[in-house]
Amino acid sequence: MKKFLAGVGALLPVLAASSAFAAQPQPWQMGFQPAASAIMEDIRWFEQYTLVFIVPITLLVLALLAWCIIRYRASTNPVPSRTSHNTLIEVIWTVGPVVILLFLAVPSFQLLTAQYNPPEEPTMTIKASAVQWSWDYEYQDEEPLTFSAFMLQEGDREAAGKEDLAQYPRLLAVDNEVVVPVDTTVRVLVTSNDVIHAFAMPAFGVKVDAVPGRINETWFNATKEGVYYGQCSELCGKDHAFMPIAIRVVSQDQYDTWRAAAQSDLNGANRALMAAVDNKNVADAGN
């Protein structure tokens, strides 16, 4: 028993450290990923809100169908009714759906408006260009930084320092993550260099098409540090399933350090950032 408790105690720091890494798809997942932005929180709320209407309506329709099938079957109702009009019923089934649609439409349009209108002017802009089958990123500031992000191959994990499948899952981890500071409004310009793709980051509530010859704009403000995973969400060819998106959200100080180093040595900056994040997680777990 003592050995078991000691083993559990040794695992607690690791589990606490890993908790900073979210979010990603889970096996047999039926709901949304945990929200990491205010917009995604609103999306999750709206999902629950719509269920308040969907569930009773579904049960009502099911009950009415069952009642009609049993009550008006040929054996018990050999002479069917010839009634063709019922004013009360027609008023109910006209006004009722209109009222329900209004209750759905108002918060829906409010959410849609918020998705296209950030609450503040974005402090940084990143251009994401889709390519069959990877992503090119450009930090558009005084000293532009550009790099490509490819899905991490299994044979490259050790060299990249990304052996932990919990933090860097198979088919989702990339060689170079997009790095952004937490609690910062980020503008993302999305386009494509060949066919139609889609930039999707579920934990942020972001999904926008990448169309050749066109630039679509979206934004996010990540509220929790960690590594977040998305994928191309538009069928774009044979390797569509191998085109992941990874965004690492860090503190402002960690971002500033990474950004200064990445200008001349991206790989070195990524390794230093990973080490700093891992050390912070372990320290936090120790507290």
Side-chain angles (χ1 to χ4, degrees), residues 33-50:
Q33 292 183 18
S37 73
I39 288 293
M40 191 59 199
E41 292 283 1
D42 291 343
I43 292 174
R44 289 175 63 91
W45 173 86
F46 186 68
E47 176 202 22
Q48 301 299 319
Y49 176 76
T50 55

Side-chain angles (χ1 to χ4, degrees), residues 82-257:
R82 298 296 180 181
T83 303
S84 60
H85 294 83
N86 187 305
T87 303
L88 177 61
I89 292 178
E90 291 184 1
V91 170
I92 292 174
W93 73 32
T94 300
V95 175
V98 169
V99 173
I100 292 172
L101 288 176
L102 283 175
F103 275 98
L104 292 174
V106 172
S108 175
F109 285 128
Q110 290 176 336
L111 176 57
L112 186 63
T113 301
Q115 287 179 299
Y116 284 96
N117 295 277
E120 60 184 10
E121 183 66 22
T123 57
M124 60 183 299
T125 300
I126 299 175
K127 182 179 180 181
S129 301
V131 184
Q132 290 179 311
W133 289 271
S134 63
W135 293 89
D136 294 338
Y137 297 104
E138 178 184 353
Y139 285 68
Q140 298 186 341
D141 49 27
E142 294 180 358
E143 296 183 355
L145 171 66
T146 61
F147 59 85
S148 298
F150 294 87
M151 185 183 74
L152 185 65
Q153 301 299 317
E154 294 303 301
D156 298 333
R157 284 185 175 274
E158 183 176 358
K162 298 179 178 179
E163 297 96 330
D164 188 349
L165 291 174
Q167 297 180 10
Y168 306 103
R170 178 176 175 270
L171 304 182
L172 287 176
V174 301
D175 52 358
N176 298 311
E177 294 98 358
V178 175
V179 180
V180 299
V182 70
D183 295 324
T184 300
T185 302
V186 181
R187 177 190 290 114
V188 184
L189 305 178
V190 182
T191 189
S192 170
N193 294 336
D194 36 53
V195 300
I196 298 178
H197 301 267
F199 184 91
M201 184 55 61
F204 299 164
V206 169
K207 184 176 182 181
V208 60
D209 284 343
V211 182
R214 179 182 300 175
I215 295 180
N216 289 329
E217 181 177 330
T218 187
W219 68 277
F220 65 85
N221 187 317
T223 57
K224 302 175 184 177
E225 295 183 29
V227 180
Y228 300 90
Y229 294 100
Q231 293 173 292
C232 173
S233 296
E234 185 74 39
L235 188 60
C236 58
K238 71 179 185 67
D239 284 343
H240 163 67
F242 308 105
M243 194 174 168
I245 302 165
I247 298 179
R248 185 186 293 273
V249 182
V250 297
S251 68
Q252 185 65 54
D253 291 341
Q254 289 173 332
Y255 171 77
D256 292 338
T257 302

